[in-house]
Each structure stands twice: as structure tokens, then as C-alpha cells.
Amino acid sequence: MRFDTPVYFQRVQSGEYEGSTGDYGEESIEEEMRYANVTDAGADTLNLVYGEIQQGCKVVRLQRFYGKAFNRLRIGGKLYCVDLSRELRNKQVFIVSEVQ
């Protein structure tokens, strides 16, 4: 199992309210990169988590725990939200689905 795919954990901070214009400022995104093993989720995993087959779901495995707060993941140019997270003895597994 190779941990060679860069996965970016994103923390999104929404912009502050500007009273003079009535708009919100731009959101800021902080990213932290970790290398992970990323594979497509199998049919039995999809049935267990979602109850149906969905497109764009992946399994992300980390060698070490990622303990910081984050909102979403970026793999390549696509954004993913975490649907299920498991912490094993010294590894961490995420089942993620693509955000449209």
C-alpha cells in the first residue's frame, strides 16, 4: 500500500461582515498537505455507508492521525466532504464523497 497521493486538509474561515457595504468579505482557506493512500470505494463499502451506490466516493488512508479541525479535503482539483472517519491503532481512514 503506497501513501503517495497528496491530500490537502482545508480549513475554511468565512469573511467578516462589512457594515458599510452590507456584504461579507472573502473567505480564507488554509491548507495542510499529507500523503495518503487514496482508492475508489468498493460496492460493499458504499452500500454499508450510504445504503446505495454513489459515484465519486473514495477511501483515504493516513499512516498517522490528523488531529486538527478541518472542513473538507482536496484531492487533485476536486473537493470532498468526510462521510465516515475511523481511527485505528496508528492509522486513520476516511470515506469521502465529492462535493458538487
Side-chain angles (χ1 to χ4, degrees), residues 20-72:
S20 60
T21 62
D23 292 330
Y24 286 90
E26 292 186 23
E27 60 183 25
S28 64
I29 298 174
E30 297 176 23
E31 287 188 334
E32 188 170 344
M33 194 265 297
R34 295 275 194 260
Y35 284 105
N37 173 266
V38 179
T39 58
D40 291 327
D44 51 345
T45 303
L46 294 174
N47 279 329
L48 180 66
V49 175
Y50 304 108
E52 61 183 22
I53 302 296
Q54 286 192 349
Q55 301 259 334
C57 296
K58 299 204 177 286
V59 178
V60 178
R61 295 173 188 88
L62 297 175
Q63 284 183 320
R64 301 276 181 242
F65 295 119
Y66 185 79
K68 298 179 183 176
F70 65 96
N71 299 94
R72 61 189 182 200

Side-chain angles (χ1 to χ4, degrees), residues 2-3 21 30 50 64 73-74 76 89 94 96-97 100:
R2 291 186 178 182
F3 294 84
T21 62
E30 297 176 23
Y50 304 108
R64 301 276 181 242
L73 298 176
R74 182 174 64 85
R89 182 175 297 210
F94 300 104
V96 298
S97 59
Q100 302 287 320

